[in-house]
Every structure is written in structure tokens, then in C-alpha cells.
Amino acid sequence: MTNPIRIGVIGSGYWGPNMIRNFYEMPAADLVAVADLNDDRLQHIQKRYPGVHTTKNHRDFFTLNLDAVVVATPPATHYTLAKECLEAGLHVLVEKPLTLDSAHADDLIALAAERDLRLMVGHTFEYNAAVRQLKRIIASGELGDLYYIDAVRVNLGLFQPHLNVMWDLAPHDISILLYLLGQQEQVQVSAQGMACIFPTVHDVAYMHLVFPSGVLAHVRVSWLDPSKTRRITVVGSKKMAVYDDVEPLEKIKVYDKGVEAPPYTDTYGEFQCSYRYGDVKIPRIDFVEPLREECEHFVQSIRTGERPQSDGHVGRNVVRILEMAEQSLHQNGHAHTATLADTSQQLALSHVSEL
Ligand SMILES: NC(=O)c1ccc[n+]([C@@H]2O[C@H](COP(=O)([O-])OP(=O)(O)OC[C@H]3O[C@@H](n4cnc5c(N)ncnc54)[C@H](O)[C@@H]3O)[C@@H](O)[C@H]2O)c1
């Protein structure tokens, strides 16, 4: 039997403990160490996982014969921590967003390539069985030609002091869009929003993306909404699909609904569309915790040396789109073009079900 992959996790705040639990429970991994600047967080980990080494200094990891590190700290720290870990010869899984600057993301990609190390980003939804199912539905042609995608990710809080709501919530939706639509050379991005509670941090944003194929996408993110909504609507020429992540069981519904325009006549009185109100199909989804899939995929990519699904290039593309959206936000919605890195070497759809 091959030895388990020895892992350290930096950051044990809100999200880090989920990574810690998953790697601790995975037979293919050995959770060796956890670093956090906060003593209370470390005490909590010590109590819960007595055999795990805890430290306030992540550099202690470099003496523990680790294979890989997970960076689950605030986004402003991702670049420096990931860079140090790659330089120390460790494979790295960085939480989303990969960095706050696409030039930093490029640096990390180059460093990982130079050292032949895996660099992966925690785009959890790319490992979500419902999102994968939606990708299969789109690829099968069941929805017809895609017209537009509408994504909503809103709730009350959690406010971040330095980072606006786009950088916090929209990485999920952008990574889902890129995953669903596949390789894109560029995308036109604009955004408008408001800073309602704190004067300099936008807590509501409306992003508008136009893909080269003509598909339009709209992403609404907010920390200031009365109800939690996580919904993606895909409208095509034949059918429409809705993915509702808040639904416990029926996460995807495919609606056989559509509209046929009447043949053109110049007599206004004869204008009548034909509307189709067909069946609603709810595909069965065998749901596994997406984070478990993500963690297993990271370990697997270290073992095989294969490029992870959500690798540095994918993470960089999400950062690039967010950068352009940020510029647009401060220019009252002026559109920018984000040039995207080549991700065509990603795992093909045929591999998606096997991940
Ligand atoms: N994939 C997801 O669904 C998902 C969900 C939530 C958060 N996240 C991401 O996880 C990351 C962490 O978010 P969070 O909400 O847990 O933040 P948090 O503020 O709750 O926790 C961050 C922790 O990192 C520690 N930390 C900061 N700098 C450190 C350093 N240099 N060394 C060691 N520890 C350090 C802090 O003490 C804190 O305990 C972010 O990138 C966030 O975007 C991802």
C-alpha cells in the first residue's frame, strides 16, 4: 500500500476546520499539522485531534516532512503563504480566491510548474454532484443552444472588513460558469454595486458577463438580503434548468418550457407566440460532500501528477474576471475584457463522473 499523503493546514477559522475534518478522516491522507495565529483556535484543534501537531508558525511545517499544504486563511494572505509553501517543495491547495491579483496567480502557476508541484484552488462547486449533473445536462444538448445563465448568491452577512462581496461570494459563481461553459478565451465583464453598511466595502453587486459564444451571464451577490438564496438558472432554446443549492434533495429541475416566435407578418393583430408548458424532470443525484470530493481529488492529483480540475489556471481566470469586475464597479459599470488563460487541458467531461 502507498503511504498516505502528509498534509498540513494553515488557518483554522470558519472554513479551515472543514478541511481539517476531511483530511483527518481520509485514509489516503495523514493530517500531520495545523497552523493558526490564534491560540484559542489551536486549543480547539488539539482537543478535537490530539495527535495533530499545532503551531502558530506555518514555517514549522517545513521541518515536518510534509507532502502538501492547505491554505485556508483570509485571501490577502494566500499569495505569500502559497508561495512560501511551493518554494519549500510542497503541493498546495489554496482556498478561493486563489489570490487578489492575477499577476500573483501567474507567479504561483509558474512556480508550481517549475517545481513540478500541484497547485489547486478550493473551487468547491466544481466538485459538487449537482453542478456536475448540470454540466452533463448542458453538454448533452438537452437544453438546446444556451441563451443566458442567471446566478444568485445572497444572504444576510457575513460581512468582511476589507474585501467586498464580489471577492467573497462571486468566486463560486464565476468558477461554476467557467466550469459549465468550458474553455473561454475571454469574457466581457461589467459590474455595479453599492456599499450600504460600510462606506468603502461594497456589500451588494450585480455582475454582467458576456461570453464569446454570445451567452450572457448575470451574477447577483449580496450580504444584505433577508433570505439565503443560492440558485443558478440556465435558459436554452429547448429547455430551462434550475439548480437550487438550498434545496435538500431536489437540487436540479429541468423544465420543458419554451416559447416559439410566430412566423413574421406585418399584421400586428396576428402576432401570437406559442408557449410550451411541459413536464418538469428532477434528475436523481447521488450526493457526496463536495469538500470530500475536492480533498480526495487533491490527494489523487498529487499521486498521479495530473493537473487538478480546479488548477492554478482556473483560479487565475476567476481572479482575472474579479479584477475586471472590481475596476468596472468603480467606473459605474464600464465594461472590460478579461483575457483568460488556456484551461483546455482540464479533465474532459468524460472524466467528470469518475472524479
Ligand atoms: N470553499 C468554500 O466554500 C469556502 C467557504 C468559506 C470560506 N472559504 C475561504 O476560506 C478562507 C478562510 O476563510 P474563513 O472564513 O475561514 O476566515 P476566518 O477569518 O474565519 O479564518 C481564517 C483563520 O486564518 C488564521 N490565519 C490568518 N493568517 C494566518 C497565518 N499567517 N498563519 C496561520 N494562520 C493564519 C486566522 O487566525 C483565522 O483563524 C478564505 O479564503 C475564504 O474565502 C471558502
Side-chain angles (χ1 to χ4, degrees), residues 14-140:
Y14 163 70
W15 190 246
N18 293 322
M19 307 296 267
I20 292 167
R21 169 177 52 81
N22 270 291
F23 283 113
Y24 186 81
E25 289 172 357
M26 269 172 52
D30 185 3
L31 177 74
V32 176
V34 172
D36 199 292
L37 300 176
N38 182 311
D39 282 320
D40 291 345
R41 300 307 306 156
L42 290 180
Q43 272 170 25
H44 171 78
I45 296 299
Q46 265 162 2
K47 260 196 215 136
R48 188 96 208 260
Y49 308 100
V52 172
H53 179 86
T54 55
T55 173
K56 284 176 97 163
N57 186 353
H58 68 278
R59 293 194 183 105
D60 290 350
F61 283 11
F62 305 155
T63 60
L64 293 173
N65 198 24
L66 297 183
D67 298 299
V69 164
V70 176
V71 177
T73 53
T77 65
H78 288 180
Y79 172 60
T80 314
L81 291 172
K83 187 164 185 270
E84 275 189 46
C85 294
L86 289 168
E87 281 169 347
L90 300 171
H91 304 283
V92 179
L93 167 55
V94 189
E95 254 318 317
K96 59 81 194 166
L98 173 56
T99 56
L100 295 178
D101 180 333
S102 58
H104 285 167
D106 287 334
D107 261 14
L108 296 180
I109 292 167
L111 190 56
E114 198 181 287
R115 311 271 167 122
D116 192 20
L117 295 166
R118 305 290 81 69
L119 172 65
M120 179 167 150
V121 191
H123 290 165
T124 320
F125 284 90
E126 292 186 41
Y127 303 90
N128 180 304
V131 176
R132 287 180 182 169
Q133 180 73 19
L134 187 57
K135 184 172 171 74
R136 280 188 216 104
I137 290 168
I138 292 172
S140 74

Side-chain angles (χ1 to χ4, degrees), residues 15 43 75 83 93 106 147 225-226 242 256 298 317 329 344:
W15 190 246
Q43 272 170 25
K83 187 164 185 270
L93 167 55
D106 287 334
Y147 290 147
D225 196 280
V242 176
D256 185 10
F298 180 51
N317 286 345
L329 198 66
S344 54

Side-chain angles (χ1 to χ4, degrees), residues 107-264:
D107 261 14
L108 296 180
I109 292 167
L111 190 56
E114 198 181 287
R115 311 271 167 122
D116 192 20
L117 295 166
R118 305 290 81 69
L119 172 65
M120 179 167 150
V121 191
H123 290 165
T124 320
F125 284 90
E126 292 186 41
Y127 303 90
N128 180 304
V131 176
R132 287 180 182 169
Q133 180 73 19
L134 187 57
K135 184 172 171 74
R136 280 188 216 104
I137 290 168
I138 292 172
S140 74
E142 187 178 354
L143 306 184
D145 295 330
L146 295 194
Y147 290 147
Y148 78 93
I149 303 182
D150 183 84
V152 185
R153 189 172 299 272
V154 299
N155 46 252
L156 197 62
L158 299 168
F159 276 76
Q160 308 278 327
H162 308 297
L163 210 56
N164 72 37
V165 68
M166 284 193 316
W167 287 93
D168 183 39
L169 298 182
H172 289 313
D173 300 289
I174 299 169
S175 72
I176 292 172
L177 287 171
L178 294 178
Y179 177 72
L180 292 179
L181 297 176
Q183 166 64 25
Q184 305 285 326
E185 282 172 13
Q186 58 180 51
V187 54
Q188 203 187 74
V189 186
S190 57
Q192 286 187 304
M194 274 184 87
C196 305
I197 303 297
F198 297 103
T200 56
V201 182
H202 283 76
D203 36 33
V204 181
Y206 295 80
M207 298 172 63
H208 191 74
L209 288 83
V210 186
F211 290 90
S213 60
V215 173
L216 196 69
H218 194 267
V219 178
R220 176 159 74 93
V221 283
S222 172
W223 291 323
L224 202 59
D225 196 280
S227 50
K228 178 171 173 170
T229 309
R230 269 104 178 86
R231 193 184 54 234
I232 293 190
T233 306
V234 186
V235 174
S237 57
K238 290 187 188 156
K239 290 185 184 175
M240 306 173 180
V242 176
Y243 157 47
D244 186 346
D245 194 54
V246 176
E247 271 282 332
L249 293 173
E250 299 176 352
K251 288 192 183 289
I252 293 188
K253 293 189 176 125
V254 181
Y255 294 85
D256 185 10
K257 286 189 178 184
V259 186
E260 306 278 326
Y264 179 77

